Amino acid sequence: MYRQSVTIAAKQGIHTRPAALLVQQAKQFPCDIIVYCNGKQASAKSLYRLQTLSLAHGTEIEVSATGDQAEQAVTSLCRFIANMD
């Protein structure tokens, strides 16, 4: 398992459109990827589940992955989240 924390940079948070882009990026990796926020968790590969996390600007979240390419997946998604505009 590989984990990393990241702060949501997007001023509007991760709403539907950026969440869809995040899901698209997560689906490029064969591992299981989970996003943790305020005591809740959701698969990074599920748009519906991600939207239940209330991913607001400035919120620190944790991304974890298990399986093949776990470290690459977490690093890539955290960089994506940190650079969202």
Side-chain angles (χ1 to χ4, degrees), residues 8 14 22 34-44 46-56 59 61-62:
I8 298 171
I14 301 178
L22 182 64
I34 304 295
V35 176
Y36 298 88
C37 179
N38 297 323
K40 296 181 184 178
Q41 67 182 27
S43 169
S46 170
L47 179 60
Y48 172 75
R49 300 283 294 153
L50 279 178
Q51 290 180 306
T52 66
L53 296 182
S54 301
L55 301 169
T59 302
I61 62 173
E62 185 174 89

Side-chain angles (χ1 to χ4, degrees), residues 2-10 13-14 22 33-38 44 50 53-65 73-85:
Y2 188 79
R3 292 177 175 237
Q4 187 175 337
S5 295
V6 63
T7 300
I8 298 171
I14 301 178
L22 182 64
I33 307 167
I34 304 295
V35 176
Y36 298 88
C37 179
N38 297 323
L50 279 178
L53 296 182
S54 301
L55 301 169
H57 170 75
T59 302
E60 185 175 42
I61 62 173
E62 185 174 89
V63 180
S64 74
V74 170
T75 301
S76 176
L77 293 179
C78 285
R79 187 178 311 121
F80 182 78
I81 292 165
N83 292 315
M84 281 183 166
D85 199 11

